[in-house]
Amino acid sequence: MKGLLVVLGNLGWVAADSNTFMVLNVISDAVFYFLPILLAFSAANKFRCSPIIAAVIGGILLHPTFTGLVAEGNTGIDFFSIPFTLMNYSSSVLPIIIGVWLLSYIERFIKSWMPKVLDIVFTPVLSLIITVPLILIVIGPISIWIGDLFSVGFNALYSNLTFIAGMILGALYPLLVLTGTHYGLLPMLIKETCLKSLSALMQDRLLF
């Protein structure tokens, strides 16, 4: 979809300020914006916990109340008088993957002593009440910081020394897959590859 938008814009078939472009742009951005929800569902299957509860956690991180506060610059809030910095979790990778990994242990622990007749109601509630504050207060800020450093560093290396970046990625990829962080690189690599290929294609077209 990103590549299609580049082609349509360069050919002048769709104006960048038109409603058609806006709709297509929303379609192409949706996966990236709601990536935490998609990753949560996928990671839950890997970590063997409830995909629904994991997806709900992803939705909580993207809730309009939180995103609105971040957009307004009100990032310093507290939970039961515990202060923490609210982050923008759209398109983030590490916080939800680490959070779902933590959820898998919390959920199994609760199920180990929760009566079966109460499990369907209280296990999700307790899992959310315990996991979400831990993500917001501890995991989220640390993961965003680590993820940003990793993404910026790899992106700079990929842009300037593509061959070396490919060698490093090939060496680290098994570890990245093991930790789930490879999901954060794939959209960036696909996007960069498509844009570079389309840019070269359009330059060739202009030359002829």
Side-chain angles (χ1 to χ4, degrees), residues 110-129:
I110 295 174
K111 284 180 175 292
S112 67
W113 53 265
M114 180 68 66
K116 292 293 183 182
V117 68
L118 301 177
D119 176 69
I120 193 173
V121 174
F122 287 99
T123 296
V125 171
L126 292 176
S127 297
L128 290 173
I129 290 176

Side-chain angles (χ1 to χ4, degrees), residues 36-79:
I37 298 177
L38 302 178
L39 285 178
F41 195 89
S42 176
N45 291 324
K46 295 292 184 180
F47 297 133
R48 298 180 181 179
C49 57
S50 171
I52 300 301
I53 298 177
V56 169
I57 292 175
I60 291 171
L61 298 182
L62 300 176
H63 196 280
T65 298
F66 288 161
T67 57
L69 287 173
V70 173
E72 295 171 359
N74 301 325
T75 56
I77 62 176
D78 67 273
F79 180 76

Side-chain angles (χ1 to χ4, degrees), residues 175-197:
L175 179 61
L176 297 177
V177 172
L178 181 65
T179 59
T181 52
H182 69 296
Y183 289 110
L185 293 177
L186 291 178
M188 181 188 72
L189 292 175
I190 293 173
K191 179 181 178 182
E192 289 293 331
T193 302
C194 289
L195 290 178
K196 287 182 178 179
S197 299

Side-chain angles (χ1 to χ4, degrees), residues 151-174:
S151 179
V152 169
F154 183 82
N155 193 30
L157 189 63
Y158 182 77
S159 300
N160 299 298
L161 300 170
T162 305
F163 179 73
I164 295 178
M167 293 178 60
I168 294 175
L169 179 61
L172 297 179
Y173 202 73

Side-chain angles (χ1 to χ4, degrees), residues 66-117:
F66 288 161
T67 57
L69 287 173
V70 173
E72 295 171 359
N74 301 325
T75 56
I77 62 176
D78 67 273
F79 180 76
F80 281 111
S81 300
I82 302 175
F84 66 95
T85 301
L86 194 60
M87 314 289 288
N88 181 6
Y89 292 101
S90 63
S91 302
S92 64
V93 174
L94 286 178
I96 192 63
I97 291 178
I98 297 175
V100 173
W101 172 76
L102 179 64
L103 169 68
S104 66
Y105 286 95
I106 293 174
E107 186 181 62
R108 282 196 290 269
F109 171 72
I110 295 174
K111 284 180 175 292
S112 67
W113 53 265
M114 180 68 66
K116 292 293 183 182
V117 68

